[in-house]
Amino acid sequence: MRKIALISVLLALAGLAWYFIAGAKPSEGQTASMPQGDEQQNLIVVTPWEITSTDPSKSGFIFQRLQLAETLVDAAQNADLQPMLAQSWSANDQGDVWTFVLRDGVKFHDGSPLTADDVVKSLDVALTKPTALESALISKITAIDSKTVEITLEKPLMSFPAYLAHATSIILAKSSFDDNNEVKELIATGPYYVTKIEPPQKIEQKAFADYWGEKAKIQDVTYLANSRSETRTLLAQSKPNYLVFTLDSASLARLQQDPNLQVKSKSLSRTIQYKVNAKNPLFSDVNVRQALSDAIDRQGIAQSVMRADNAAANQILPPIFKDWQINTPTQTPDPQAIKQRLLDLGFTADANGMLQKEGKPFKFTLRTFSDRPELPIIATALQAQWKKIGVDVDVSVGNFSEIPAGHQDGTLEMALYARNYGMTPDPVGSLIEDFDPKGSDWGVMNWQDSELSDSLSKLETTKDNDSDNNIATKQKVSKIIYDERPIVPVVYYQQNAAAHKSLKGLEIDGLERNFYLNKLSW
């Protein structure tokens, strides 16, 4: 215990040291006033995400959010697809050949024009990496002319344009790659260009004067990665040119009381959920899975942990995916009634009121990890709520990798994690992966449903994705998952950001794709 306390003190001191090294010297409870002159033009963006490589398959999501690089397809805040580097796209009747027409007047940061050959090169390299394009089953990418790209798939995929909105599908100039197809220099098309990359923590960037779209107003931006939430909170209250993302919910009240700060929060396309091993006798009965889910006080967890009133998750996909939403009952858990449901299923209660069946206690291990600080807290809340119905839960906080490892070796009983359903703006691809009949590391374990698989397959191959029939199919998928509960949502994840009030235009992207830096001004 003393060792843990010592480590905590050392980490806190390290965070404070980083804070003062950065030049932050705020008054007690105050943020420094807005600087005047040249310093006013500089913005420092702070997040927890380190730059591990210039390879888009590893750090493309950072380059995309910083608006250094762009994709063929973009997505609006309501998850509807919209043009980006491709001004239009179309498919053949079968949906296995797609044609993309490039936007006119787009220049790379070195001044060269965007061509179909650049697109082919970037996507061909992406196909050799662990990227979202792997799941699209691309067989050939061809430049038809300087402005037209044709992509042939091994099978129909009507959600294919959404894959080209993924951060690993960013388009770079051919000159970005060396002879081994490694990125030697990040030459892209965004409203900002790189002047210096210092992995794992720092990027310096400047506004690109020849950007094809809305030009950036703040000329100089520095990106800093810092993994400690406490330090990010301190930085938000230090110099007024900091823009800080991914603040822990416990810090929000403090920051909201600072009269010089603006604090924004938004529900994301990310669900905090748990999966069960449906082969385990405790979870093989859908009635037991439903009882465990019904015992969760989601609203209480949303308010006390996420500090948000609208974060309770009664269905797997967040509200941003409007076509998938179904009506679900909202009710306060009744532990005694739920416990009685389990007793009616053949469980018995011991002298302490804990459930057992055939002499074996209703006990299991819930695995989670601390990379996202909310997860262990939510796991502890679930442990306490399930104890009220006589279920004994051990919470194991380990490494991120232990969940897929436990899935693969069969030792996993239950896992709590956060799943981003907006990696591609159309969640069909994520659901197909997660609910594959053979299972998925971050999806179902020893569970399948033929009706669900057929419905997802229909969504893959039906051409009119806006038809009433397709919306009905999407809602059918949501209903099956809700009824069967092999994966159970708890709360929707919130993004929190803070900046000085003098920063204008601050907006949070619910799909976690864009910081909208080009819209910001002082």
Side-chain angles (χ1 to χ4, degrees):
M1 196 70 181
R2 293 174 64 184
K3 182 178 179 181
I4 294 173
L6 177 60
I7 291 172
S8 299
V9 170
L10 290 174
L11 287 172
L13 289 174
L16 286 170
W18 197 96
Y19 163 59
F20 284 112
I21 288 170
K25 298 178 181 178
S27 306
E28 180 66 30
Q30 295 293 320
T31 304
S33 60
M34 185 64 213
Q36 300 299 315
D38 291 342
E39 189 179 0
Q40 195 176 114
Q41 299 303 310
N42 178 258
L43 177 69
I44 301 174
V45 178
V46 185
T47 82
W49 307 300
E50 292 187 341
I51 310 121
T52 58
S53 170
T54 55
D55 188 333
S57 70
K58 298 177 181 177
S59 297
F61 72 99
I62 297 176
F63 304 146
Q64 183 184 55
R65 295 181 197 194
L66 290 173
Q67 293 183 290
L68 295 168
E70 299 174 313
T71 49
L72 291 177
V73 180
D74 197 9
Q77 286 279 23
N78 63 0
D80 287 347
L81 297 182
Q82 60 185 25
M84 190 168 245
L85 295 181
Q87 66 179 8
S88 64
W89 54 86
S90 59
N92 64 353
D93 290 340
Q94 290 73 38
D96 60 355
V97 178
W98 289 81
T99 303
F100 294 82
V101 179
L102 302 184
R103 187 184 295 273
D104 291 326
V106 178
K107 292 182 180 180
F108 285 108
H109 295 148
D110 63 357
S112 62
L114 169 70
T115 69
D117 287 339
D118 295 294
V119 173
V120 172
K121 177 68 173 181
S122 288
L123 297 183
D124 275 343
V125 172
L127 284 174
T128 68
K129 312 280 185 176
T131 67
L133 290 181
E134 285 183 309
S135 302
L137 299 178
I138 296 173
S139 63
K140 185 171 62 174
I141 306 174
T142 307
I144 302 301
D145 55 42
S146 65
K147 290 293 182 182
T148 310
V149 177
E150 184 178 271
I151 302 178
T152 304
L153 311 180
E154 294 178 12
K155 66 175 186 178
L157 180 59
M158 288 305 171
S159 61
F160 177 65
Y163 287 80
L164 295 179
H166 193 274
T168 58
S169 301
I170 60 176
I171 304 302
L172 304 180
K174 289 184 294 182
S175 55
S176 294
F177 303 96
D178 63 18
D179 292 340
N180 296 317
N181 286 332
E182 299 298 331
V183 177
K184 61 181 181 180
E185 186 179 1
L186 196 76
I187 304 173
T189 60
Y192 284 93
Y193 66 93
V194 171
T195 59
K196 184 187 294 185
I197 297 182
E198 298 178 354
Q201 289 186 306
K202 188 176 182 181
I203 297 177
E204 294 180 4
Q205 58 192 67
K206 283 185 175 291
F208 182 40
D210 290 332
Y211 180 57
W212 61 268
E214 182 178 350
K215 293 177 173 57
K217 303 170 186 65
I218 297 177
Q219 296 300 302
D220 295 282
V221 174
T222 298
Y223 174 81
L224 294 176
N226 188 281
S227 61
R228 285 190 54 76
S229 178
E230 297 90 340
T231 304
R232 294 197 302 277
T233 300
L234 289 171
L235 290 174
Q237 291 188 288
S238 60
K239 291 184 177 180
N241 56 338
Y242 277 99
L243 168 56
V244 182
F245 287 92
T246 316
L247 297 157
D248 67 87
S249 53
S251 301
L252 288 183
R254 168 185 165 184
L255 295 176
Q256 288 166 343
Q257 292 172 3
D258 190 320
N260 294 310
L261 290 180
Q262 55 178 313
V263 180
K264 291 185 178 290
S265 299
K266 187 170 186 176
S267 181
L268 300 178
S269 56
R270 187 183 295 269
T271 304
I272 294 179
Q273 59 192 34
Y274 66 83
K275 59 183 281 185
V276 299
N277 181 352
K279 192 176 181 180
N280 186 310
L282 291 174
F283 308 124
S284 59
D285 187 342
V286 64
N287 295 293
V288 174
R289 300 196 297 266
Q290 291 172 349
L292 289 172
S293 174
D294 292 346
I296 300 172
D297 181 3
R298 291 174 171 82
Q299 190 62 30
I301 293 174
Q303 292 175 338
S304 62
V305 180
M306 308 304 291
R307 305 295 174 96
D309 292 328
N310 60 346
N314 291 316
Q315 51 192 297
I316 196 165
L317 290 178
I320 193 170
F321 302 113
K322 60 182 184 303
D323 289 348
W324 298 77
Q325 299 302 297
I326 59 173
N327 292 323
T328 58
T330 301
Q331 56 190 25
T332 302
D334 183 343
Q336 289 304 313
I338 295 169
K339 186 174 184 178
Q340 185 59 54
R341 284 162 53 185
L342 292 170
L343 292 171
D344 292 342
L345 292 173
F347 289 90
T348 59
D350 63 17
N352 297 316
M354 303 303 290
L355 295 177
Q356 56 185 11
K357 196 169 190 179
E358 298 177 356
K360 296 180 180 180
F362 195 155
K363 183 176 182 177
F364 59 87
T365 298
L366 169 58
R367 295 188 194 181
T368 192
F369 49 90
S370 59
D371 297 51
R372 294 187 176 274
E374 296 85 358
L375 292 180
I377 302 172
I378 292 173
T380 303
L382 294 176
Q383 179 187 47
Q385 292 173 9
W386 284 331
K387 188 174 182 179
K388 292 180 181 180
I389 63 172
V391 175
D392 190 5
V393 181
D394 286 332
V395 173
S396 174
V397 181
N399 295 322
F400 180 87
S401 60
E402 291 181 13
I403 292 175
H407 179 105
Q408 293 297 327
D409 65 21
T411 60
L412 185 69
E413 294 179 303
M414 179 185 285
L416 180 75
Y417 55 97
R419 181 70 164 108
N420 186 354
Y421 288 104
M423 295 293 284
T424 56
D426 187 331
V428 169
S430 297
L431 292 173
I432 288 173
E433 178 184 346
D434 287 2
F435 291 88
D436 187 283
K438 296 179 181 178
S440 165
D441 286 353
W442 298 100
V444 293
M445 184 174 182
N446 296 313
W447 182 91
Q448 59 179 285
D449 183 280
S450 59
E451 190 175 15
L452 178 66
S453 297
D454 290 345
S455 297
L456 289 172
S457 177
K458 180 179 178 182
L459 291 171
E460 267 194 302
T461 56
T462 301
K463 190 167 186 179
D464 186 2
N465 277 324
D466 294 323
S467 69
D468 290 340
N469 286 338
N470 264 30
I471 292 175
T473 303
K474 292 173 180 178
Q475 293 174 350
K476 181 179 182 180
V477 167
S478 297
K479 184 69 163 56
I480 293 172
I481 296 170
Y482 174 79
D483 288 342
E484 293 292 327
R485 304 185 206 188
I487 296 177
V488 178
V490 180
V491 288
Y492 300 127
Y493 200 81
Q494 305 288 299
Q495 173 64 281
N496 305 311
H500 195 272
K501 284 186 175 178
S502 58
L503 184 66
K504 300 174 183 177
L506 178 58
E507 184 179 354
I508 293 177
D509 180 7
L511 290 172
E512 301 183 81
R513 295 170 45 82
N514 200 329
F515 289 151
Y516 300 118
L517 300 181
N518 64 327
K519 298 179 181 296
L520 299 177
S521 63
W522 297 116

